[in-house]
Amino acid sequence: MKSILSVALPQQAYNVVIAPQVRTQVGAWLSDRQQPLLKPGQKVLLVSNPVIFKHYGEQAIASLTQAGFQVSHCILPAGERYKTLKSVQKLYDAALANRLERGSAMVALGGGVIGDMTGFAAATWLRGIAVVQMPTSLLAMVDASIGGKTGVNHPQGKNLIGAFHQPRLVLIDPQVLKTLPAREFRAGMAEVIKYGVIWDVDLFEQLEAAERLDQLRHISADLLQSILTRSCQAKAEVVAEDEKEGGLRAILNYGHTLGHAVESLTGYRSVNHGEAVAIGMVAAGQIAAEMGWWTEAECDRQLALIQKTGLPTHIPAELSINDILETLKTDKKVKDGQVRFVLPTRIGEAKVTNQVEASVIRQVSEQLQAP
Amino acid sequence: MKSILSVALPQQAYNVVIAPQVRTQVGAWLSDRQQPLLKPGQKVLLVSNPVIFKHYGEQAIASLTQAGFQVSHCILPAGERYKTLKSVQKLYDAALANRLERGSAMVALGGGVIGDMTGFAAATWLRGIAVVQMPTSLLAMVDASIGGKTGVNHPQGKNLIGAFHQPRLVLIDPQVLKTLPAREFRAGMAEVIKYGVIWDVDLFEQLEAAERLDQLRHISADLLQSILTRSCQAKAEVVAEDEKEGGLRAILNYGHTLGHAVESLTGYRSVNHGEAVAIGMVAAGQIAAEMGWWTEAECDRQLALIQKTGLPTHIPAELSINDILETLKTDKKVKDGQVRFVLPTRIGEAKVTNQVEASVIRQVSEQLQAP
């Protein structure tokens, strides 16, 4: 099984390769094509976290070294709370120590945190060098690794600091998901469900047809390949139409408006990104039903799918609804002071609106709070 | 007197306005055109340093406020040694405190340090918001404010961290040069001479024809307008042909290869950027003569012009030539391990080469060292 998708951007197209074992072939992918993505002998800085590096670091380094690149590596601590400028500074130090030049590359081997920080460091080192994304979490595979959004958190808000910087190549190896903790797997499933709701009704129905979705071991290799391919295809199509989020791309924020607020107010700890998005999708779905954008039945189908995946569907009891509403106002998606929501119009389609009244947001949030 | 130049980039063209009093008209320039550069009522963060803000801050704020914008300001310490990620973090904090949105803008009112940092903060806040450059030093007017290079220094190297981010508008008021210290004025003249050597022989001859160039008060308003316009035109033409420094734009680094090494090794203190570039141009000129790229006579004309401006022409005695040669290897312009130099082929034309032998660099550097 192998899928090769193209993210067809006007300035530079790049491939997303989804295939078992591709983690051991990064060197060949960068060098062995008719048009090599990186010049022979170039310097490559592999960036990872301790756990991922232990599992897959040596294989990647061996592959890159065998292809003739000069490989160094930099290990950053795992976890969203380390997605800071301070960690990026360590990457700058490593780039300097290893004398990365304009023709050099960084390779991000890890989850979304590693991918976002490595992408940002690559975007801003010497005003931009190449980056290759090798996502190892489901969340990073279907979301963060494609589309060129990079960045770090500000102490007071997620992803406030960043840059658009498209990767040169994305390599996705489904086999690495075997070492992903179950909770992280479910977190990624939130984004998969998102693509079903906003873009791909067939994907949604495939997920509905599956017996279990709460753990990887219940999902066949075929279904997994399909989930990854359809999700990445959805992301690639949206990004190709709207690279810089002028319009369409904003629909990818489905579930993220309220999700970011929940994530931020829990200090990026007790609720992870995917869980927050799941809660945000439930909220957006109910707002959409409240406003007559889609039916109660569609809203229930989404809720059932999220529940089947084992993701949370309630706002944590300890959060204040007032704080959530206040936090929404500092969200990046605020435009002219109006909070923007993505709402589904039917399964497989969604639109952006800034017409959701504060009273509706409050009412739905209160209903959704865990008792 | 008013010059309006266009920097004709494919994705987005922008104007460079050179006119007395334009510093008091920024609000009108952003709002009063048929196609407003900024939406009415938007938030604007004015960034400056204490001295410049004292001179011109209120005028700019008044102009922006009168045009209906919500203006806040952030004052950063002056000086190259504050061009750090730490200062940029203060801008992020100010952006958050004032809730800058994607449609908001930052306005850089100051020299190159303020312009570079504000540009970088704007490039990376919410993955990119608008920036307006209002340069107040000659150096920033003719160089840093145009072309979208933004960034900060790494403790071990200048401008290693940065991004390309074109301004929405550049406003240059020659009158503000009256408050510029004489040494800073001369520093800017180094870049003006550079444009004469690499691009515009008429500019070079205008400078040769001037009786004195060492202080602003000896330069007529007409000549000053011409110097600014021709220099900005040269920069705009080069940038429009090669935004991301794939080829032609590299000639703007004339004098900067050795210049950066001198600047870096003196800790960005005893020798300023323009002075370092002047020394670098003398070195590049002699290397070019040594290699037969241009004549000794042309080399002497350049030297005479640099001397007339009162700029230094020797490498400081305390620097080790070995350190300089070592520092050259960490320069951003290193490609495949080869140091790249820009060398003049005649007055008004220059080319990039990586064919300068280390022995020639050493010999010229030793000749140029102050006794």
Side-chain angles (χ1 to χ4, degrees):
Chain A
M1 276 182 299
K2 174 155 75 175
S3 315
I4 302 181
L5 313 174
S6 174
V7 184
L9 293 171
Q11 298 218 339
Q12 187 195 8
Y14 58 93
N15 285 333
V16 179
V17 183
I18 303 161
Q21 289 293 323
V22 77
R23 70 184 183 281
T24 64
Q25 299 155 4
V26 51
W29 275 97
L30 287 177
S31 64
D32 267 347
R33 305 283 120 183
Q34 290 179 326
Q35 287 201 312
L37 294 178
L38 214 57
K39 281 195 185 166
Q42 261 296 354
K43 289 164 191 157
V44 174
L45 178 67
L46 181 85
V47 183
S48 196
N49 70 39
V51 173
I52 296 296
F53 189 77
K54 193 182 149 209
H55 283 305
Y56 309 113
E58 273 183 33
Q59 289 177 324
I61 288 176
S63 169
L64 288 162
T65 306
Q66 206 185 337
F69 299 115
Q70 298 176 56
V71 190
S72 53
H73 65 270
C74 179
I75 309 298
L76 296 175
E80 183 80 26
R81 68 182 178 283
Y82 294 104
K83 201 172 110 172
T84 59
L85 273 184
K86 204 175 154 192
S87 297
V88 169
Q89 271 176 302
K90 287 185 188 166
L91 290 182
Y92 293 145
D93 292 343
L96 188 87
N98 295 292
R99 299 200 166 171
L100 263 62
E101 303 170 0
R102 287 189 177 151
S104 306
M106 295 189 191
V107 173
L109 177 69
V113 171
I114 289 294
D116 283 5
M117 288 197 295
T118 308
F120 185 65
T124 52
W125 184 250
L126 308 182
R127 298 197 189 90
I129 67 171
V131 65
V132 174
Q133 296 286 352
M134 295 180 68
T136 59
S137 72
L138 180 57
L139 191 59
M141 288 177 181
V142 299
D143 184 19
S145 68
I146 302 167
K149 280 195 181 181
T150 72
V152 297
N153 299 327
H154 184 279
Q156 289 173 64
K158 201 170 144 59
N159 291 323
L160 291 176
I161 299 158
F164 282 98
H165 189 57
Q166 299 295 338
R168 199 65 64 89
L169 176 69
V170 182
L171 299 180
I172 295 176
D173 186 342
Q175 291 182 342
V176 305
L177 293 176
K178 283 176 191 161
T179 53
L180 188 70
R183 188 176 168 192
E184 296 299 313
F185 176 76
R186 289 194 293 272
M189 286 302 291
E191 300 280 350
V192 172
I193 293 171
K194 181 189 81 176
Y195 294 118
V197 175
I198 65 167
W199 197 255
D200 185 347
V201 64
D202 290 343
L203 171 59
F204 191 93
E205 287 169 357
Q206 276 187 16
L207 296 171
E208 280 185 317
E211 203 173 326
R212 289 182 65 171
L213 290 173
D214 54 323
Q215 287 183 55
L216 179 68
R217 62 191 169 92
H218 301 302
I219 295 174
S220 71
D222 280 351
L223 179 59
L224 182 59
Q225 182 80 14
S226 175
I227 283 174
L228 292 171
T229 304
R230 282 184 172 274
S231 296
C232 292
Q233 184 69 40
K235 177 93 189 228
E237 284 173 11
V238 172
V239 166
E241 278 196 42
D242 175 25
E243 181 180 1
K244 297 284 176 73
E245 200 162 349
L248 179 68
R249 185 163 177 171
I251 68 165
L252 296 176
N253 289 318
Y254 178 55
H256 286 58
T257 307
L258 198 109
H260 277 165
V262 167
E263 214 179 347
S264 163
L265 288 170
T266 53
Y268 306 112
R269 296 190 192 200
S270 61
V271 178
N272 70 28
H273 180 68
E275 291 163 352
V277 168
I279 296 166
M281 289 195 293
V282 175
Q286 294 204 356
I287 290 171
E290 197 72 39
M291 291 172 68
W293 282 44
W294 71 352
T295 63
E296 288 286 348
E298 288 169 311
C299 189
D300 290 345
R301 281 174 70 191
Q302 176 189 262
L303 182 63
L305 201 48
I306 294 171
Q307 284 169 334
K308 183 162 74 166
T309 313
L311 284 160
T313 54
H314 288 98
I315 294 173
E318 69 272 21
L319 293 190
S320 136
I321 299 297
N322 283 337
D323 286 353
I324 289 179
L325 296 177
E326 191 58 28
T327 304
L328 288 178
K329 292 183 192 157
T330 65
D331 194 274
K332 281 200 305 298
K333 290 173 282 300
V334 168
K335 200 171 177 178
D336 305 328
Q338 291 287 315
V339 180
R340 285 199 295 169
F341 271 88
V342 181
L343 299 182
T345 49
R346 58 180 172 80
I347 290 171
E349 196 179 280
K351 282 188 180 146
V352 179
T353 178
N354 59 6
Q355 300 296 311
V356 182
E357 288 182 22
S359 61
V360 175
I361 306 174
R362 176 179 293 277
Q363 178 203 324
V364 167
S365 300
E366 282 169 355
Q367 283 168 359
L368 273 187
Q369 193 150 40
Chain B
M1 275 182 301
K2 174 156 72 176
S3 314
I4 303 181
L5 314 173
S6 175
V7 184
L9 293 171
Q11 297 219 340
Q12 186 194 11
Y14 58 94
N15 286 332
V16 179
V17 182
I18 303 160
Q21 290 291 322
V22 77
R23 71 184 182 281
T24 64
Q25 299 154 6
V26 53
W29 275 97
L30 287 177
S31 64
D32 267 346
R33 306 279 121 184
Q34 289 178 326
Q35 286 201 313
L37 294 178
L38 215 57
K39 279 196 186 165
Q42 260 296 355
K43 288 164 192 159
V44 174
L45 178 66
L46 182 85
V47 183
S48 196
N49 70 39
V51 172
I52 296 296
F53 189 77
K54 193 182 148 209
H55 283 306
Y56 310 113
E58 273 183 33
Q59 289 177 324
I61 288 176
S63 169
L64 288 161
T65 306
Q66 206 185 339
F69 299 114
Q70 298 176 55
V71 191
S72 53
H73 64 271
C74 179
I75 309 298
L76 296 174
E80 184 80 25
R81 69 182 176 283
Y82 294 105
K83 201 172 110 174
T84 60
L85 274 184
K86 203 175 153 191
S87 296
V88 169
Q89 271 176 302
K90 287 186 189 166
L91 290 183
Y92 293 145
D93 292 343
L96 187 88
N98 294 292
R99 299 199 165 171
L100 263 61
E101 302 170 0
R102 286 186 177 153
S104 306
M106 296 189 190
V107 174
L109 177 69
V113 171
I114 289 293
D116 283 5
M117 289 196 295
T118 308
F120 185 65
T124 52
W125 184 249
L126 309 181
R127 298 196 189 90
I129 66 171
V131 64
V132 174
Q133 295 286 353
M134 295 181 68
T136 58
S137 71
L138 180 56
L139 191 60
M141 287 176 182
V142 299
D143 184 19
S145 68
I146 302 168
K149 280 195 182 179
T150 72
V152 297
N153 300 326
H154 185 279
Q156 289 174 64
K158 202 171 143 60
N159 291 323
L160 291 177
I161 300 158
F164 282 98
H165 189 57
Q166 299 295 338
R168 199 65 62 89
L169 177 70
V170 181
L171 299 179
I172 295 175
D173 186 340
Q175 292 182 343
V176 305
L177 294 176
K178 283 176 190 159
T179 53
L180 189 71
R183 187 176 169 192
E184 295 300 312
F185 176 76
R186 287 194 294 272
M189 286 302 292
E191 299 281 350
V192 171
I193 292 170
K194 181 189 81 175
Y195 293 117
V197 175
I198 65 167
W199 197 256
D200 185 348
V201 63
D202 291 342
L203 171 60
F204 191 93
E205 287 170 357
Q206 275 187 18
L207 296 171
E208 280 186 315
E211 204 173 326
R212 292 182 61 172
L213 289 173
D214 55 321
Q215 288 183 55
L216 178 68
R217 63 192 169 91
H218 300 303
I219 294 173
S220 71
D222 279 353
L223 179 57
L224 181 60
Q225 181 79 17
S226 175
I227 283 173
L228 292 171
T229 303
R230 281 183 173 275
S231 297
C232 291
Q233 183 69 39
K235 177 93 189 229
E237 284 173 13
V238 172
V239 166
E241 277 194 43
D242 176 24
E243 182 180 0
K244 296 284 177 74
E245 200 163 351
L248 179 69
R249 186 164 176 170
I251 67 166
L252 296 176
N253 287 319
Y254 179 56
H256 286 58
T257 307
L258 198 111
H260 277 165
V262 169
E263 214 179 347
S264 163
L265 289 170
T266 53
Y268 305 113
R269 295 191 191 199
S270 61
V271 177
N272 69 29
H273 180 68
E275 290 162 354
V277 168
I279 296 165
M281 290 195 293
V282 175
Q286 293 203 358
I287 290 170
E290 198 71 39
M291 293 173 67
W293 281 45
W294 72 351
T295 63
E296 288 287 348
E298 288 169 311
C299 189
D300 290 345
R301 280 174 71 191
Q302 176 189 262
L303 183 63
L305 200 49
I306 294 172
Q307 285 169 333
K308 183 162 76 167
T309 313
L311 284 159
T313 54
H314 289 96
I315 294 173
E318 69 271 21
L319 293 190
S320 136
I321 299 297
N322 283 338
D323 286 353
I324 288 179
L325 297 177
E326 191 57 28
T327 304
L328 289 178
K329 291 182 193 157
T330 64
D331 194 277
K332 279 201 306 297
K333 289 173 284 299
V334 168
K335 200 171 177 179
D336 303 328
Q338 290 288 315
V339 179
R340 285 198 295 168
F341 272 89
V342 181
L343 300 182
T345 49
R346 58 179 172 81
I347 289 171
E349 198 178 278
K351 282 187 181 148
V352 180
T353 178
N354 60 3
Q355 299 298 311
V356 182
E357 289 182 20
S359 61
V360 175
I361 306 174
R362 177 179 291 279
Q363 179 201 323
V364 167
S365 299
E366 282 170 355
Q367 282 167 2
L368 273 189
Q369 193 152 38

